[in-house]
Amino acid sequence: MKIKYLVLFFILLSQSLLAWGNTGHRIVGEIAETYLTKNAKMQIKKLIGHHDLSRISNWGDEIKADSMIFSLSGKAHDILRVERLLLNILCHLRGIATLTAQMVKMAKSVNPKVEILATRKTIPGIRVLEKKAVVHGGGMTHRMRLDDAVLIKDNHLRLCKDIKTAVGRSRLRHPDLMIEVEADNSAQALEVAKSGADRVMLDNFTVEDAKKAVLDLRNISDIEIEISGGVTADNIESYAPFADFISLGSLTMAAPPVDFTLHVN
């Protein structure tokens, strides 16, 4: 019974918060995909992994504080038995969407082309819902799963000869996946750009260090640049001009919940 009402809850919620409904946006995404060039499809795959446009196309609507988002009917005992569980999940997800929308708005105010990404730092069991909440807030996902892309981090590099070797082996083993390498300093970032990787992640760079690194990178490469680590609402506008992507674990791990209540009429 709990599962039935949980499914019903999210079905009703999705239809209430989408301007065109779930189907309308999926149709638009499916039609758009047929017009993409081969190169455009490859670039989009780097962003959304194994998903297709029809599955991620959506439209997050803003709601006012005093709005009723949906109503349902049924046996009082069954509804009240799962009330707290459903409200907890809803408050958490709307908090993620709200925080994402705020970050997206601030970042795009100084760089309209930058994309805000959620990481795999999610609560076990509800990753799909949390990632969906990020999309509703105007963000995107970095990776849903490990096999969506190759991300070579500092621990991986300690197990390999050098960055170029790590990228080469990854490309040979996974030719269809986007390859990204985490850099801890400017010198390492330049090495990543020369290695053949698709994207470099500037990890825990200060704003000034990121600015310098990006200037150096752009002198030798058009590699995609992602900034991650230490990005907050207080400094995201300072980082945004230098990034193609900004990823934040805080979107899913530190978003304050947005309160919702259930009232019986």
Side-chain angles (χ1 to χ4, degrees):
M1 185 63 70
K2 289 184 180 180
I3 297 299
K4 180 177 73 173
Y5 278 107
L6 183 61
V7 173
L8 174 62
F9 175 87
F10 284 108
I11 290 175
L12 290 172
L13 175 61
S14 297
Q15 293 300 329
S16 299
L17 295 182
L18 297 179
W20 295 355
N22 210 29
T23 305
H25 288 284
R26 288 184 176 175
I27 292 173
V28 171
E30 187 171 348
I31 293 174
E33 199 161 37
T34 64
Y35 287 90
L36 295 175
T37 64
K38 183 178 180 180
N39 182 59
K41 289 181 179 179
M42 290 177 62
Q43 294 301 317
I44 289 176
K45 185 178 180 181
K46 293 178 182 179
L47 298 176
I48 64 177
H50 65 281
H51 303 288
D52 56 63
L53 288 181
S54 65
R55 301 304 299 178
I56 69 166
S57 297
N58 227 321
W59 187 280
D61 294 333
E62 293 185 359
I63 56 176
K64 296 181 179 179
D66 58 350
S67 299
M68 181 178 74
I69 61 171
F70 75 95
S71 62
L72 74 161
S73 60
K75 293 182 178 179
H77 177 267
D78 293 336
I79 294 175
L80 295 178
R81 185 170 58 178
V82 297
E83 172 192 3
R84 190 67 264 157
L85 170 64
L86 300 184
L87 287 177
N88 286 347
I89 295 174
L90 177 59
C91 293
H92 174 59
L93 297 181
R94 297 322 300 167
I96 291 174
T98 299
L99 178 61
T100 302
Q102 293 168 350
M103 292 293 195
V104 168
K105 184 177 181 179
M106 287 187 287
K108 287 185 176 290
S109 69
V110 294
N111 180 5
K113 294 183 179 180
V114 69
E115 296 294 345
I116 304 303
L117 310 179
T119 70
R120 291 192 308 115
K121 295 177 181 178
T122 55
I123 295 176
I126 60 171
R127 174 177 294 173
V128 172
L129 295 178
E130 290 183 326
K131 293 279 194 172
K132 187 71 170 178
V134 169
V135 173
H136 273 281
M140 301 179 70
T141 183
H142 186 272
R143 289 185 299 172
M144 182 67 75
R145 308 178 318 201
L146 282 174
D147 61 355
D148 282 337
V150 177
L151 176 56
I152 302 172
K153 300 172 69 68
D154 53 356
N155 283 334
H156 303 134
L157 293 175
R158 289 191 177 94
L159 302 173
C160 196
K161 179 181 178 182
D162 52 42
I163 291 174
K164 187 174 182 178
T165 300
V167 171
R169 289 178 179 175
S170 299
R171 185 75 71 190
L172 185 63
R173 189 176 182 85
H174 303 287
D176 297 327
L177 294 183
M178 186 271 286
I179 298 177
E180 179 175 10
V181 183
E182 180 183 277
D184 295 329
N185 53 64
S186 293
Q188 203 172 42
L190 291 173
E191 190 178 348
V192 173
K194 297 173 184 177
S195 70
D198 300 299
R199 186 184 303 175
V200 58
M201 177 190 290
L202 306 183
D203 188 43
N204 287 305
F205 278 51
T206 66
V207 173
E208 288 304 314
D209 286 343
K211 180 180 179 180
K212 182 181 182 303
V214 170
L215 289 174
D216 292 340
L217 285 167
R218 288 297 176 240
N219 284 330
I220 66 168
S221 173
D222 60 354
I223 190 171
E224 293 178 345
I225 298 173
E226 177 180 338
I227 292 177
S228 184
V231 182
T232 67
D234 294 330
N235 61 27
I236 193 169
E237 291 181 3
S238 298
Y239 279 108
F242 313 115
D244 298 308
F245 306 93
I246 297 177
S247 56
L248 304 96
S250 59
L251 295 181
T252 49
M253 295 298 289
V258 174
D259 191 40
F260 281 96
T261 59
L262 172 70
H263 294 293
V264 176
N265 293 325

